[in-house]
Amino acid sequence: MAFSKLKIWLVAATSFTVTFAANNSFNLTPFTIDLSSEIPRLNVLMNNTCLPATALYSGVGPDKGIELNLIAELRNEWPEIFDWETQQAELNQFAQFTSVIEGQTVHFVHEKSKEADAITGCQNVTEQRGTAFDTISNAYFMEQTTKPNDIGFALYDSPVGQLAWIGGKMKLWSDPRAGTPPSVLNNTVILTSVSLYYLTGSFLSSMWIYASNPNGFHTVYLKVPMLFGQYEYNIGLWLQDYVTQVGNLVSYRVHNFGGNFAGLDNPPALFDDIREMGLYFKV
Ligand SMILES: *[C@@H]1O[C@H](CO)[C@@H](O)[C@H](O)[C@H]1NC(C)=O
Ligand SMILES: *[C@@H]1O[C@H](CO)[C@@H](O)[C@H](O)[C@H]1NC(C)=O
Ligand SMILES: *[C@@H]1O[C@H](CO)[C@@H](O)[C@H](O)[C@H]1NC(C)=O
Ligand SMILES: *[C@@H]1O[C@H](CO)[C@@H](O)[C@H](O)[C@H]1NC(C)=O
């Protein structure tokens, strides 16, 4: 999900208006998720990956990486409480499509709002995939930017490894109240997210996003309207004065619930943010 994930997300969506206005004839292909065939193999890998019996280094917190009890809990919940078919059926309740945009096949949810005059949005699935975009200048960021193949190949076929790499961050960078309303970010959601990375074989490419965009986080002043949402427990705090310097800031909203994965940790607030964006759409 993203850095000021929301910022980039909103900026991207705002810039998108321009393209959309220039060409609104997308060819949509209906899409249904069907990743069940790889589940037996995933189960075998999950079951057969050994974790240390006890933590070698005691008294260290999550700032040293995912804690043994958490990775063990997630792994153990896999066969106990997690059912891929249920999660897949839930995701497939949303109308999904693919379309080729500038040579790239893009998969998205397209659901019309029940509210009159609302703009349409690309929601949950996209949000979950978005986790691949989290960023702060720390070890994981340097690793993914400089040696994406090392970590990418190491964890490509390791569901437990991906749980450690992705699941740890989903816990650490979220509101401590995660899992209580309005947050829907609980262990089931983490397991579903990691399953999506594993089953679609996208772990390696999600590492390469960083290496492929070495200047992706450089500041270029954006003239298009920029809307900014600050979620209290996000990994960074961007004050309004600072944000004003990087773009045509037309809205700055502070949410006192939620973290880096706003779409999971505070979906109602993110929906409001996106709806506000609709005010700037010129179609
Ligand atoms: C607009 O979209 C259509 C259909 O995808 C495509 O054939 C055409 O080249 C696009 N035109 C521009 C100007 O991008
Ligand atoms: C994985 O372990 C669970 C619980 O021990 C067991 O029910 C399941 O049959 C195992 N699955 C595979 C594929 O080994
Ligand atoms: C997104 O998913 C959550 C639970 O997974 C659900 O409660 C919520 O209604 C979904 N949002 C939309 C807009 O469908
Ligand atoms: C997580 O929340 C969903 C509803 O959003 C629920 O169906 C699921 O059982 C919860 N999982 C856990 C482990 O509490």
Side-chain angles (χ1 to χ4, degrees), residues 40 43-44 47 79-80:
N43 287 339
V44 169
N47 276 20
E80 303 280 332

Side-chain angles (χ1 to χ4, degrees), residues 145-214:
T145 306
T146 60
K147 298 283 182 290
N149 272 353
D150 289 359
I151 190 68
F153 292 144
L155 302 191
Y156 184 76
D157 196 32
S158 173
V160 175
Q162 292 184 21
L163 264 186
W165 195 259
I166 300 165
K169 281 147 192 108
M170 289 184 80
K171 281 276 185 184
L172 188 61
W173 298 346
S174 295
D175 195 301
R177 296 161 289 183
T180 63
S183 171
V184 296
L185 203 170
N186 62 16
N187 283 2
T188 308
V189 167
I190 293 177
L191 292 172
T192 303
S193 285
V194 174
S195 306
L196 283 170
Y197 279 93
Y198 181 80
L199 296 168
T200 58
S202 42
F203 186 79
L204 180 61
S205 58
S206 79
M207 298 297 105
W208 266 93
I209 286 172
Y210 294 78
S212 307
N213 296 284

Side-chain angles (χ1 to χ4, degrees), residues 13-26 118-120 277-283:
T14 319
S15 317
F16 175 73
T17 329
V18 178
T19 320
F20 187 73
N23 190 351
N24 59 9
S25 57
F26 290 109
I119 61 164
T120 53
M277 224 171 63
L279 302 174
Y280 296 88
F281 269 62
K282 294 189 189 74
V283 181

